[in-house]
Amino acid sequence: MNEKISDLLEAASAGASRVVRGVDDRQLGARTPCDEYDVGALLDHLFHVVIGFRALAAREEADFTHTPHYLDEGWRDRFDVETARLVEAWAVPGADEGTTGTMNLPARTIGAMVLLDLTVHVWDLARATGQDFTPDEDGVRALDALVTDMGPTARQMKMFADPFPAPPRATAFEGLLAATGRDPHWTPDR
């Protein structure tokens, strides 16, 4: 991954914002391709990841043991504010160098992990709410190596499901979705 993490996160955040703003409050209880979350719970998770990984960029601790409820009045605007803060934190010189967090992983890997959530979980939201979503191609390319390298560990930790068979002539993004255990052709009625 040669691109700056902050640039990749900025592009992913713009796409995420469009999808988040397109969620109707009546859809918050709808199921998603990510079985453990309905739309509302997935939005809370995304908020929590964005806030936590902003802290990790600043070499602060982040608590992922409990996900608070973020969907109070003005939550769409707040999502934009929080993702902008995330991008700013990762744009600070040195934020993507060394290690960060209690996992003691390379900072670039941590930055790629939040990029993954802002790509794959945003696809989950888009699918669940009937929206179109096309991720940033540079982000998808950057995530391929992360998912390949961390896939076995992520599956052991139940962060990814077993790989889903990629469809014939799958796009790079469909391959990424399949590698994280998602059916790239998932629809709410399946």
Side-chain angles (χ1 to χ4, degrees), residues 49-112:
V49 165
V50 165
I51 292 167
F53 279 75
R54 176 179 43 83
L56 292 173
R59 303 305 196 263
E60 298 169 359
E61 290 305 315
D63 180 6
F64 294 107
T65 60
H66 168 74
T67 302
H69 179 70
Y70 292 97
L71 304 184
D72 297 325
E73 188 174 330
W75 60 268
R76 290 170 187 84
D77 291 335
R78 182 167 181 217
F79 186 80
D80 289 345
V81 168
E82 295 298 348
T83 54
R85 288 179 178 161
L86 174 75
V87 171
E88 288 170 9
W90 283 97
V92 170
D96 62 351
E97 297 172 4
T99 60
T100 188
T102 56
M103 295 177 280
N104 203 32
L105 289 172
R108 286 190 65 80
T109 300
I110 296 293

Side-chain angles (χ1 to χ4, degrees), residues 25 36 43-44 59 99 105 115 126 145 149 165 177 190:
D25 285 348
E36 66 265 23
L43 284 163
D44 280 335
R59 303 305 196 263
T99 60
L105 289 172
L115 176 65
D149 293 346
L177 292 170
R190 285 173 129 176

Side-chain angles (χ1 to χ4, degrees), residues 129-175:
T129 59
Q131 299 181 65
D132 291 327
F133 173 66
T134 302
D136 176 64
E137 291 179 17
D138 291 336
V140 171
R141 275 193 297 277
L143 291 171
D144 184 55
L146 174 77
V147 171
T148 299
D149 293 346
M150 296 194 76
T153 302
R155 281 185 274 287
Q156 274 184 328
M157 297 175 67
K158 306 291 184 213
M159 295 169 65
F160 292 173
D162 289 333
F164 191 87
R169 294 183 298 272
T171 66
F173 185 50
E174 289 171 333

